[in-house]
Amino acid sequence: MAAAKPGTPQNQGDSAPYLEGLNDEQRTAVLTTDGPVLMLAGAGTGKTRALTTRLAHLLHTERAQPYQILAVTFTNKAAREMKERIQTLVGDSVEGMKWLGTFHSIAAQILRRHAELVGLKSSFTILDADDQVRLAKQVIEAANIDEKRWTGRGLAAVIDGWKNRGLVPEKVPADEAYHFADGKGIQLYKAYQSRMITLNAADFGDLLIHNLVIFQNNPDVLAEYQRRFSYMLVDEYQDTNVAQYLWLRLLAQRHKNICCVGDDDQSIYGWRGAEVENILRFEKDFPGAAVIRLERNYRSTPAILGAASGLIASNKDRLGKTLWTESEDGEKVRVRGVWDGDEEARLIGDDIESEQSKGRSLSDMAVLVRASFQMRAFEERFNTLGLAYRVVGGPRFYEREENRDALAYLRLIRSPDNDLAFDRIVNKPKRGLGNKALQVLHKIARAQGIPLMAASRIALESSELHAAARRSLLNFVDNVDRWARDAKDMAPADLAELVLEEAGYIEMWKNSKSPQAPGKLDNLKELIQAVSEFETLEGYLDHVALVSELNENTGDGQIWLMTLHAAKGLEFPVVFLPGWEEEIFPSKRSLDENGNAALEEERRLAYVGVTRAEESCRISFAANRQIYGRWQSAMPSRFIDELPEEHVEVFSEQGLYGNTATSFSSQSSFDNIDIKEDAYYENPGWKRARNASSRGSIKPKTIDGRGKTLSIGATGKSKFKIGTRVFHQKFGYGKISSVEGQKLTVNFDHSGIKKVIDTFVEAA
DNA sequence: CCGGTATGTCTTTTT
DNA sequence: GACATACCGG
């Protein structure tokens, strides 16, 4: 562990009321206002409190005016929360903090002011991920590259990767060109960028890249912002990518009052370009930086904290923290092995009902999964039980087909040059303007270097289109023109309604016999409702570009269901962590792509999961699971083995983790368990598991102090030998091809080769 | 031009 | 198993 080097708190004597109740470290973090500060804040250590108080302190002591503070977060939600909490501390002067927001929204603000310096107009549109892929695809098509091999999606990902690293096409290392389309990667990147300029558009990565270019080429502009931002604060610093890091470093050069807050153990966005390196390197980047560690945890019980700490200790390259708590001992972390995914959902459902019957609110409980496909089993189970639940993160509102279509209409009305919008809705609903007509328009547009709307007008004058197509296109163009006039003196919500109605778009869904149609109509109503909160169409479209969700409805009385990623920053009294199986968690795909770095990131994800829990943390794994419609056998996650056994209690039928009686404690904690609480031992699911395994006694076990971590995986010896024919409940008959501890590799007659635990097969 | 079937894909996700 | 895209036949 690196030695902590707390900075000298300036103004130590300050005794403003907002400082009350802070612990020493938090207080130091608030009062060390000048110079670079790295605040290493472990999970549940009151980070947000320290950070908002710090901002309040800067304002209160008039070290800075609200508009001189740059405060960046990653999500809109985090920005909103920060604003609200500062407001409770300093009141309305928070309104002056116009530089409080996400990286992207602040970069967009700056770019709008200087757009012409990179060849854009300040009215540029911001493209979302879907548009990016579409555009990338067009670029590939135009370059005559095999679209089967090199997809738009792939190109968009490569370009995104470069942008995350702050690389404009000219700066991409030559040897990286070969990663895509036989060396054409950079050329395609260039083509993509010039297409963006023609469209007067910027994607999310561009917002930052353009900022960097502007700052580097225009020292006067950079100096202006450097002067302005006398204090800077960055939340979730461990999630910054290189581009964001460069941006921050440029802006901080003058005053050097930059405070970065983060936790290297919670860096879980590496796959999106985040560099943990940024936080590990902070003291080198900013010599003389004060490093303040927040290590007192106010959230979880000692067992939960102990389990999490033990788990994360397997990672190398950590700055190192020792979390501690004064809270009372609570229950140990529970690990439960079950037969299959259905049973897992059933048992968790039962647990939730039993907690509920003890008076716990549903909104105090959360199910956190590795990947969203795991959610379905729980949704189904909750539905049959009649339990209210709420999915966080699911399909995003503005990414839904109908909403994107509606937005395309509005965007086209606002900027007729928006070819992407034109493409999207010119034939939606069907107007008889299919591929052929579109090809004509594209040809004209490309030949003359004009937008598709303008090309349409020319096509109408020519005879290149059939009469029917021409009539239809004329009608469409006239409509768009008329709506653009209407837009000038109509409330945006009224306009949206009028347009969708007159375009026949509402009608299209009303006539649709798709089972999803009613839901889509509801979404359109919601969208119009959302528009009505804005006074101008521009205001609305600008807002939408940087926000993917509607304002969240509160989750009172509903179980939370979300991915581990979505859970970062949240906390719940009871947390369920299902699906702790090899290949799912850690995710095989992730490991295949990024090896050990990915494994460490998966482990951090596990750490994030466990540390969300305040009182009760319940991990589970299933021996069999249906993935993509196929049954797969699964081994318990290595992360389960890494949990320190003193903090863990295993509830499972004996066979599941393959231990013989001797490798377990003979001391059973069964007698200590409140039967009402753990009624699942008598419920149908449990009985089924018992019958299915058709083996021995089922008792919960406590692990005693022999050995340091759990050994649920491959301990014990199997009684089976290579070559033995066996029978498995789900996979049928097969022959053993290898034995490793109690893991068997079996070649099943009908299900192929699988790894199974020996207690799940019997000699045939 | 449209609507049907075949084929391929399937983390994590904010902006 | 579900969904999206792609291609083919009417």
Side-chain angles (χ1 to χ4, degrees):
Chain A
M1 205 205 307
K5 192 179 66 172
T8 319
Q10 294 102 4
N11 214 356
Q12 183 96 60
D14 202 319
S15 58
Y18 50 79
L19 292 174
E20 275 167 33
L22 295 180
N23 66 33
D24 287 350
E25 292 74 30
Q26 290 171 330
R27 191 177 284 250
T28 306
V30 170
L31 297 178
T32 312
T33 51
D34 287 16
V37 174
L38 177 61
M39 197 195 301
L40 289 173
T45 54
K47 169 196 79 168
T48 310
R49 177 152 187 217
L51 175 160
T52 50
T53 308
R54 180 182 168 93
L55 289 178
H57 180 68
L58 291 174
L59 294 173
H60 183 78
T61 57
E62 296 188 333
R63 282 181 163 77
Q65 293 303 309
Y67 55 86
Q68 293 175 313
I69 297 175
L70 175 70
V72 249
T73 62
F74 274 85
T75 65
N76 292 302
K77 194 172 143 208
R80 209 176 324 138
E81 260 173 40
M82 196 185 286
K83 197 166 186 177
E84 279 163 14
R85 290 183 64 164
I86 298 171
Q87 178 152 37
T88 63
L89 293 173
V90 300
D92 286 341
S93 62
V94 75
E95 292 307 327
M97 293 189 65
K98 53 178 295 206
W99 302 103
L100 186 165
T102 64
F103 274 102
H104 292 89
S105 71
I106 291 171
Q109 274 183 64
I110 293 178
L111 185 55
R112 290 225 188 268
R113 296 177 58 184
H114 310 284
E116 76 289 350
L117 295 176
V118 288
L120 289 169
K121 291 183 260 177
S122 85
S123 60
F124 66 85
T125 37
I126 298 169
L127 302 190
D128 62 20
D130 209 81
D131 291 331
Q132 273 181 64
V133 172
R134 221 175 279 259
L135 207 66
K137 206 175 147 195
Q138 288 174 17
V139 168
I140 289 173
E141 266 169 48
N144 271 322
I145 287 167
D146 180 4
E147 288 175 60
K148 292 263 157 51
R149 241 188 110 204
W150 307 103
T151 61
R153 207 174 193 219
L155 179 61
V158 171
I159 292 179
D160 238 22
W162 284 328
K163 287 182 178 172
N164 283 338
R165 287 160 56 204
L167 298 170
V168 292
E170 295 71 33
K171 293 242 184 82
V172 175
D175 58 326
E176 286 189 37
Y178 294 93
H179 296 333
F180 196 85
D182 308 315
K184 299 208 182 90
I186 296 176
Q187 184 191 319
L188 292 170
Y189 182 13
K190 274 188 190 147
Y192 176 94
Q193 288 307 94
S194 76
R195 187 96 182 87
M196 293 292 273
I197 298 290
T198 326
L199 288 169
N200 191 29
D203 63 27
F204 287 119
D206 282 339
L207 296 175
L208 277 145
I209 291 280
H210 286 324
N211 267 241
L212 291 175
V213 170
I214 290 171
F215 290 158
Q216 278 154 4
N217 296 346
N218 304 275
D220 52 319
V221 175
L222 175 60
E224 178 199 333
Y225 288 101
Q226 285 177 334
R227 258 197 314 276
R228 176 186 314 240
F229 299 137
S230 48
Y231 289 90
M232 295 169 56
L233 186 138
V234 190
D235 194 13
E236 307 279 16
Y237 189 62
Q238 77 282 351
D239 289 334
T240 48
N241 62 33
V242 173
Q244 289 157 341
Y245 160 80
L246 293 170
W247 188 84
L248 289 169
R249 214 177 54 172
L250 281 173
L251 289 173
Q253 275 327 305
R254 184 184 167 102
H255 295 288
K256 298 198 171 65
N257 296 327
I258 180 169
C259 173
C260 292
V261 188
D263 179 0
D264 49 317
D265 290 335
Q266 293 187 67
S267 164
I268 55 176
Y269 285 105
W271 51 273
R272 212 176 66 192
E275 302 261 343
V276 209
E277 288 302 310
N278 290 346
I279 196 167
L280 301 178
R281 218 183 35 213
F282 187 85
E283 291 174 83
K284 284 198 195 104
D285 289 332
F286 296 98
V291 178
I292 299 161
R293 286 186 157 75
L294 304 189
E295 298 183 311
R296 174 167 178 188
N297 177 293
Y298 293 94
R299 179 187 296 159
S300 310
T301 62
I304 290 168
L305 222 48
S309 302
L311 182 62
I312 199 68
S314 300
N315 272 5
K316 304 191 178 84
D317 289 336
R318 301 174 57 221
L319 290 169
K321 285 181 300 303
T322 312
L323 296 187
W324 59 280
T325 177
E326 284 185 354
S327 72
E328 303 275 309
D329 278 351
E331 69 177 44
K332 293 186 174 187
V333 170
R334 303 186 187 194
V335 173
R336 177 160 64 191
V338 297
W339 171 243
D340 65 13
D342 290 341
E343 178 173 307
E344 184 178 51
R346 195 163 45 242
L347 293 181
I348 287 177
D350 292 346
D351 273 17
I352 289 171
E353 287 191 320
S354 114
E355 287 293 325
Q356 194 184 19
S357 71
K358 285 190 294 183
R360 205 184 287 273
S361 159
L362 288 178
S363 55
D364 283 347
M365 296 183 265
V367 178
L368 312 180
V369 297
R370 173 63 180 85
S372 43
F373 72 82
Q374 294 169 263
M375 290 185 191
R376 196 170 53 193
F378 293 98
E379 294 197 53
E380 278 170 12
R381 189 64 197 154
F382 294 159
N383 280 330
T384 42
L385 291 176
L387 291 172
Y389 66 92
R390 176 180 176 217
V391 175
V392 178
R396 272 154 231 306
F397 185 76
Y398 287 113
E399 281 171 20
R400 291 163 201 260
E401 179 191 10
E402 62 277 18
N403 295 326
R404 294 177 55 87
D405 290 343
L407 283 177
Y409 273 102
L410 297 177
R411 288 191 171 128
L412 187 63
I413 289 164
R414 185 204 175 189
S415 27
D417 296 359
N418 191 327
D419 283 0
L420 289 167
F422 182 97
D423 257 338
R424 186 172 184 97
I425 44 107
V426 66
N427 198 32
K428 204 165 178 187
K430 300 258 184 297
R431 299 188 174 94
L433 298 165
N435 262 335
K436 210 163 162 216
L438 270 181
Q439 268 169 22
V440 171
L441 297 182
H442 273 279
K443 202 185 76 199
I444 298 175
R446 216 170 320 130
Q448 310 204 17
I450 53 173
L452 289 167
M453 270 299 275
S456 303
R457 293 181 215 279
I458 290 172
L460 287 172
E461 301 297 315
S462 78
S463 54
E464 288 194 65
L465 293 173
H466 288 294
R470 208 185 313 168
R471 208 174 322 122
S472 181
L473 183 62
L474 177 64
N475 187 257
F476 178 75
V477 170
D478 281 351
N479 274 339
V480 174
D481 287 345
R482 186 164 42 80
W483 294 326
R485 285 194 301 274
D486 290 341
K488 293 202 172 66
D489 41 35
M490 250 180 124
D494 295 338
L495 177 78
E497 203 168 353
L498 175 95
V499 169
L500 294 178
E501 197 62 57
E502 291 192 358
Y505 192 75
I506 302 266
E507 194 66 18
M508 178 183 105
W509 288 115
K510 278 189 181 153
N511 293 337
S512 161
K513 46 197 182 308
S514 148
Q516 292 151 21
K520 290 182 187 274
L521 286 166
D522 284 347
N523 281 332
L524 289 170
K525 280 199 193 110
E526 264 191 77
L527 182 127
I528 291 168
Q529 174 61 36
V531 180
S532 73
E533 285 163 30
F534 288 80
E535 286 179 12
T536 64
L537 184 57
E538 286 70 24
Y540 174 70
L541 290 177
D542 227 44
H543 165 82
V544 163
L546 292 164
V547 167
S548 57
E549 245 354 293
L550 291 176
N551 283 337
E552 298 170 36
N553 36 340
T554 47
D556 269 9
Q558 297 176 319
I559 304 153
W560 299 86
L561 179 55
M562 65 187 98
T563 63
L564 289 161
H565 285 88
K568 191 166 74 154
L570 304 177
E571 57 188 17
F572 311 91
V574 181
V575 168
F576 295 92
L577 301 170
W580 281 41
E581 293 133 40
E582 283 296 302
E583 311 220 329
I584 288 185
F585 191 34
S587 143
K588 177 180 182 339
R589 184 154 175 169
S590 179
L591 262 46
D592 285 349
E593 274 172 26
N594 277 312
N596 197 50
L599 176 62
E600 296 217 341
E601 180 153 318
E602 296 281 312
R603 192 177 281 117
R604 291 193 290 269
L605 203 46
Y607 175 80
V608 167
V610 173
T611 53
R612 295 312 95 194
E614 294 169 2
E615 297 165 31
S616 176
C617 176
R618 309 183 188 188
I619 295 167
S620 54
F621 63 91
N624 303 287
R625 192 176 290 278
Q626 219 173 2
I627 297 172
Y628 305 140
R630 285 247 153 82
W631 279 102
Q632 305 241 252
S633 60
M635 304 300 297
S637 168
R638 69 191 80 186
F639 298 149
I640 289 178
D641 289 349
E642 291 170 6
L643 296 167
E645 62 177 54
E646 58 179 310
H647 298 303
V648 174
E649 199 167 5
V650 176
F651 296 78
S652 187
E653 65 186 283
Q654 219 169 2
L656 268 174
Y657 32 84
N659 272 294
T660 57
T662 50
S663 67
F664 259 109
S665 161
S666 54
Q667 175 204 349
S668 163
S669 67
F670 190 64
D671 294 340
N672 301 331
I673 291 174
D674 177 354
I675 291 296
K676 265 175 286 171
E677 178 187 346
D678 292 288
Y680 54 72
Y681 289 105
E682 281 315 309
N683 77 14
W686 190 256
K687 283 179 181 153
R688 192 185 134 201
R690 175 164 38 194
N691 295 337
S693 72
S694 66
R695 224 162 291 269
S697 67
I698 295 170
K699 281 187 181 177
K701 296 278 185 185
T702 309
I703 314 248
D704 69 7
R706 97 182 65 195
K708 269 206 153 72
T709 53
L710 288 179
S711 49
I712 280 175
T715 50
K717 265 198 240 147
S718 177
K719 59 181 179 173
F720 290 103
K721 289 201 188 84
I722 292 177
T724 310
R725 241 184 117 60
V726 292
F727 176 74
H728 184 280
Q729 289 273 324
K730 225 142 217 165
F731 307 130
Y733 290 92
K735 201 168 108 181
I736 296 174
S737 60
S738 85
V739 181
E740 182 192 335
Q742 291 194 285
K743 294 179 192 171
L744 309 178
T745 308
V746 182
N747 192 354
F748 289 102
D749 299 348
H750 299 292
S751 319
I753 295 170
K754 304 222 176 273
K755 281 197 171 180
V756 296
I757 309 176
D758 70 348
T759 43
F760 275 107
V761 299
E762 44 195 73

